[in-house]
Amino acid sequence: MNINGVAIDATFAEAFPMKATRALITAQNEKWALIAAQTMTGFATSVIACGCEAGIERVLAPSETPDGRSGVSIMIFAMGGKGLAKQLETRAGQCVLTSPTSALFSGIDGGTRIPLGKNLRYFGDGFQVAKLIDGKRYWRIPVMDGEFLTEATTGQVDAIGGGNFLVLAQSQPQALAACEAAIEAMRKIPNVIMPFPGGIVRSGSKVGSKYKALNASTNDAFCPTLKGMTKTELSADIESVMEIVIDGLAKEDIDKAMRAGIQAVCDLGADNGVTRISAGNYGGKLGPFHFHLQEIMA
Amino acid sequence: MSGLTFTLKYRPDQRVDMSPLVYQKLAKLEPAEIASLTLQNGKRKSRVDELFGISGSDATNMVIKNSFGKLDFIGRELEGGSIKIEGDAGAYLGLGMKSGAIKVSGNADIFAGCEMKNGCLEIAGDAGDFLGAALPGNKMGMKGGTILVKGNAGERAGDHMRRGNILIEGNAGDYCGSRMTAGTIAVMGQTGQYLGFAMRRGTLLLWNPPALSASFNDCGAHTLSFLPILFASFKKLNSRFAAASAAFNRVQRYAGDMSEMGRGEVLVKITHPGF
């Protein structure tokens, strides 16, 4: 398959089951909602060492938020429910509770309920107030800038992590420009996050390592500087590869995001140095969900 | 299928216990069985069809016509369905109701919504004393749901209240929110003496400055972010509380009752917000 001079490999991205949750952060204005959201989803690029993968799903207009202020929707993904709950709670406590003017709400109705502000209330040292409004429990925790309002719980649902595609280009600036275009298109798709810095990962990994202590190591087959010394996947004209990793609530969400991203890359086309689209295929070792590139772009 | 309608034939001298006439008890009964049920009427028992003309059969939409203030215990422990009362209701309206809706076009007597657990109770006229309160001797009043009073409420509204909302468009009598454990009482009109007497927790949301006891302490003026969410939850009500113009988030906060636990609050609307 070839779109606008860009070859689409006959391969698939491998993804694995995760648990996910969504929270809505509001603040006095969008600037402060974004600051709280960026802080809460910081250091959350990969479950390999961060404990979770998190990112901003989208910015919310005041009409979309529970308290009528500007807001941001964030999602957190983890390998298990227990880990997810722990990450959510510590991040909410350290990053949102502390952020000026913030409030925190559930972003998923239903699902398994996990604590959002339920345990943060103890920060109130007995001065916290519960309010049950329309079947939802909120906690009002007195803080130095006024009151921190948080919903007690949010929903945890089954999700998929690790959807991905690789952008192979003739130079590093061209690879980055193509990925930036992809991310811009993909941010419009709901129910997905791209957890890496700016949505893009330059150090894609393979499963396993020569070192026993490591579960993952550099994906040498796609490292351009190793073309002559490993079983490479790269042709002579490719000088840089970048990857976009997608976590989503359902396979269809990741399909849509991958399609939007790959399409944006292909729109730049061979004229902008983009040569190929491939995917992180680990021969079935990584997970049960397979995203076939050519099927997605068909 | 039209709603099951009970039309009062005459006004009995003695009070009538209406508690058998609720959805969960009538849903599976034939019309003849409903007619033969007996209601306590003073010291004697009267058949339903002796007191009421019965028409319709849909127990989920019950109507009581020609109702007056001696029909007690209407909607007692109601579980599902709705009861529309045309006229006044007696004492203990919606006592311990668990779900469903009750609407009264007139006034309700004492202990309306008393120990209510959930559902919605709407009184178009005035409510008597001990609205949403606990029965005498009991420690726990209303535990959930919403009571809306379009007129005035008597004394001791929300006495021992534990959870839920009491919304009063008119005035509330003395001891409003007394001995409250939690929950919210909102009063658009005036409040009487001894507001929040011995309240432990809970919120009294007021449109007009109250006469507060010395055991309530001023915590200053604040913009509280839970208020827009609370007001948004009122939007589905047929009430002045639902109007966008009713909503505010700028309040003077008083904490009390300091002679008790003191974690309760009286929030008074600040008419000219400025910050």
Side-chain angles (χ1 to χ4, degrees):
Chain A
M1 182 185 255
N2 190 299
I3 303 173
N4 200 19
V6 181
I8 312 291
D9 282 6
T11 184
F12 58 84
E14 240 174 88
F16 43 87
M18 295 185 92
K19 300 286 183 191
T21 187
R22 183 194 277 126
L24 312 180
I25 301 169
T26 68
Q28 183 176 289
N29 52 37
E30 189 180 309
K31 173 186 166 186
W32 281 100
L34 272 168
I35 287 173
Q38 280 157 354
T39 313
M40 188 179 185
T41 57
F43 184 57
T45 55
S46 167
V47 284
I48 292 173
C50 302
C52 71
E53 298 180 4
I56 290 172
E57 185 188 18
R58 67 189 185 95
V59 172
L60 303 168
S63 60
E64 297 175 288
T65 61
D67 64 356
R69 302 191 298 171
S70 297
V72 174
S73 158
I74 64 110
M75 293 208 293
I76 303 181
F77 291 72
M79 297 308 285
K82 216 170 166 183
L84 182 70
K86 178 78 187 156
Q87 287 289 335
L88 177 67
E89 199 165 285
T90 50
R91 285 166 185 270
Q94 299 303 304
C95 307
V96 185
L97 166 67
T98 56
S99 182
T101 77
S102 71
L104 185 59
F105 303 98
S106 164
I108 294 179
D109 289 333
T112 307
R113 304 310 289 176
I114 55 172
L116 186 64
K118 190 177 174 182
N119 297 321
L120 300 183
R121 73 175 192 261
Y122 295 111
F123 183 72
D125 202 23
F127 297 104
Q128 68 273 23
V129 177
K131 280 285 156 209
L132 190 67
I133 303 173
D134 269 348
K136 292 179 178 173
R137 184 177 300 281
Y138 298 85
W139 283 101
R140 297 163 52 198
I141 302 166
V143 285
M144 283 165 42
D145 81 342
E147 219 172 53
F148 172 56
L149 179 69
T150 173
E151 213 168 316
T153 61
T154 186
Q156 171 204 297
V157 292
D158 291 335
I160 300 170
N164 67 78
F165 62 90
L166 306 175
V167 177
L168 290 68
Q170 288 168 5
S171 72
Q172 198 180 66
Q174 286 170 318
L176 185 61
C179 286
E180 282 179 338
I183 287 296
E184 198 182 327
M186 295 166 79
R187 290 228 162 105
K188 292 174 185 151
I189 309 294
N191 304 334
V192 295
I193 55 160
M194 283 65 75
F196 280 94
I200 307 165
V201 49
R202 63 96 170 262
S203 59
S205 56
K206 67 174 182 290
V207 179
S209 159
K210 69 178 278 190
Y211 304 107
K212 281 182 184 165
L214 296 183
N215 303 324
S217 59
T218 194
N219 195 353
D220 53 277
F222 287 92
C223 289
T225 56
L226 303 181
K227 271 188 282 194
M229 55 191 296
T230 189
K231 194 180 172 217
T232 190
E233 288 276 345
L234 306 180
S235 54
D237 59 332
I238 294 167
E239 196 180 303
S240 185
V241 181
M242 291 181 194
E243 180 177 352
I244 292 177
V245 175
I246 309 119
D247 296 337
L249 294 187
K251 186 169 186 306
E252 296 70 38
D253 299 320
I254 296 178
D255 278 344
K256 276 185 207 161
M258 285 178 69
R259 185 181 167 80
I262 294 171
Q263 189 60 52
V265 172
C266 292
D267 287 347
L268 288 175
D271 293 347
N272 288 291
V274 185
T275 309
R276 259 172 71 199
I277 301 287
S278 191
N281 181 330
Y282 307 98
K285 279 189 278 185
L286 191 65
F289 299 102
H290 297 164
F291 296 89
H292 293 267
L293 298 183
Q294 294 190 351
E295 279 177 25
I296 286 171
M297 297 312 292
Chain B
M1 198 160 55
S2 59
L4 179 60
T5 305
F6 298 95
T7 307
L8 190 67
K9 292 175 178 171
Y10 64 97
R11 292 191 167 191
D13 294 333
Q14 302 300 326
R15 306 188 77 85
V16 179
D17 179 352
M18 298 284 283
S19 50
L21 303 185
V22 283
Y23 169 74
Q24 69 270 26
K25 291 183 179 171
L26 302 184
K28 289 178 182 166
L29 297 186
E30 295 298 321
E33 292 174 305
I34 294 173
S36 65
L37 288 173
T38 54
L39 304 176
Q40 191 70 40
N41 178 6
K43 66 178 181 180
R44 65 190 195 92
K45 288 184 186 293
S46 301
R47 276 173 61 103
V48 171
D49 58 0
E50 183 191 327
L51 292 169
F52 295 96
I54 306 170
S55 62
S57 58
D58 180 11
T60 53
N61 293 302
M62 249 177 68
V63 183
I64 299 174
K65 289 188 172 174
N66 299 342
S67 183
F68 81 123
K70 283 186 179 172
L71 301 186
D72 296 340
F73 297 104
I74 298 176
R76 181 177 183 173
E77 295 181 359
L78 179 69
E79 238 178 317
S82 69
I83 303 177
K84 190 176 156 196
I85 300 157
E86 296 180 5
D88 296 339
Y92 306 102
L93 170 69
L95 169 67
M97 75 182 275
K98 292 172 182 165
S99 62
I102 299 176
K103 280 188 183 182
V104 191
S105 68
N107 304 323
D109 210 334
I110 56 170
F111 287 104
C114 163
E115 299 188 8
M116 173 172 171
K117 294 179 181 68
N118 211 339
C120 188
L121 172 59
E122 185 181 320
I123 299 164
D126 298 336
D129 297 344
F130 292 97
L131 175 73
L135 285 171
N138 286 358
K139 283 280 189 184
M140 213 177 271
M142 178 176 178
K143 276 196 269 188
T146 299
I147 298 177
L148 170 64
V149 179
K150 297 197 172 187
N152 304 321
E155 295 181 2
R156 297 266 182 190
D159 186 45
H160 277 311
M161 178 175 177
R162 178 73 183 81
R163 202 179 291 126
N165 296 316
I166 297 181
L167 310 177
I168 301 164
E169 290 187 13
N171 306 325
D174 295 346
Y175 292 98
C176 176
S178 59
R179 303 186 288 185
M180 228 173 136
T181 320
T184 303
I185 303 178
V187 185
M188 279 185 162
Q190 304 293 329
T191 46
Q193 296 293 312
Y194 310 110
L195 180 79
F197 182 87
M199 76 187 284
R200 294 165 66 81
R201 290 187 296 268
T203 301
L204 299 175
L205 183 62
L206 308 182
W207 269 247
N208 294 297
L212 275 175
S213 310
S215 52
F216 279 80
N217 292 348
D218 190 356
C219 295
H222 300 284
T223 303
L224 298 182
S225 52
F226 88 98
L227 286 170
I229 296 170
L230 184 70
F231 280 109
S233 75
F234 298 156
K235 284 219 158 67
K236 59 183 180 293
L237 300 171
N238 167 31
S239 165
R240 283 164 57 201
F241 283 96
S245 57
F248 55 86
N249 63 356
R250 187 91 182 133
V251 290
Q252 192 77 21
R253 184 175 193 266
Y254 301 89
D257 184 337
M258 291 300 171
S259 64
E260 244 294 347
M261 185 193 256
R263 303 252 166 84
E265 61 182 358
V266 177
L267 304 178
V268 185
K269 178 184 178 182
I270 296 176
T271 316
H272 300 293
F275 48 88

